[in-house]
Amino acid sequence: MGELANCTRCNAIFIKGTAAVCPECRKKEEEDFQVVYAYMRKKQNRVATVEDIEADTGVVEKQIREFVKQKRLHPAQFPNMAYGCEKCGSSIREGRLCEGCKGEIASGLQKQEQNDSMKQRQKDAELKKANRTYYSVRNEQ
């Protein structure tokens, strides 16, 4: 069973299912998608930018970019269609992050792993030193 939630667009209360918006807003999003898709299907509009689409259809840029992000509009079919990287905002055509941000995150993780590995080796060496056992040998004649 769903839980009560507030619509992220109009703040109305609804029972949340698979969508994060209420049924009325979901219907409006679907209408906006149909308008944008009909516009993009025309041959002369296939190379339109997001700004051109917004100006010609009245659908806000954020919603158009969300359609691309949801893969409802495919950038392969529409070469000027892109959306912003979630970290830096630069235009990308697939995924959630641009290549620069992916590389930055990967190198940060690699450095963290190296630091963790070095700290673990130090901890192991200290533990080994603390647990040394000394034996005394007596020579009895």
Side-chain angles (χ1 to χ4, degrees):
M1 186 171 157
E3 60 184 63
L4 281 178
N6 287 66
C7 176
T8 56
R9 287 182 73 177
C10 69
N11 212 25
I13 295 176
F14 72 107
I15 296 178
K16 188 174 183 178
T18 57
V21 294
C22 69
E24 291 81 23
C25 290
R26 179 83 173 128
K27 184 177 177 183
K28 173 69 172 125
E29 281 182 6
E30 191 57 35
E31 289 170 2
D32 288 347
F33 174 74
Q34 292 302 324
V35 168
V36 171
Y37 188 70
Y39 175 83
M40 295 302 294
R41 285 183 51 193
K42 294 178 184 172
K43 191 172 185 175
Q44 71 268 19
N45 296 332
R46 292 199 179 176
V47 292
T49 63
V50 175
E51 292 79 17
D52 294 337
I53 299 166
E54 180 181 22
D56 293 343
T57 64
V59 177
V60 294
E61 179 181 350
K62 182 178 178 183
Q63 187 63 54
I64 297 167
R65 292 191 189 279
E66 191 63 31
F67 293 146
V68 175
K69 199 174 186 179
Q70 293 170 351
K71 298 188 188 294
R72 294 181 77 185
L73 295 174
H74 299 281
Q77 296 170 337
F78 312 114
N80 293 331
M81 188 74 65
Y83 54 94
C85 167
E86 289 185 9
K87 187 169 187 281
C88 70
S90 65
S91 288
I92 56 175
R93 296 170 51 89
E94 64 182 354
R96 295 174 63 183
L97 301 170
C98 66
E99 292 302 316
C101 290
K102 283 180 188 177
E104 187 179 312
I105 290 171
S107 67
L109 287 172
Q110 195 173 35
K111 286 178 186 176
Q112 185 63 40
E113 286 175 355
Q114 289 172 350
N115 287 342
D116 290 348
S117 177
M118 187 172 68
K119 286 178 184 177
Q120 186 62 42
R121 284 194 303 266
Q122 287 174 344
K123 194 185 258 185
D124 291 345
E126 289 172 6
L127 187 61
K128 187 176 181 180
K129 188 176 180 180
N131 289 333
R132 285 187 184 161
T133 304
Y134 292 97
Y135 297 98
S136 100
V137 178
R138 286 181 27 195
N139 286 337
E140 292 187 29
Q141 292 178 341

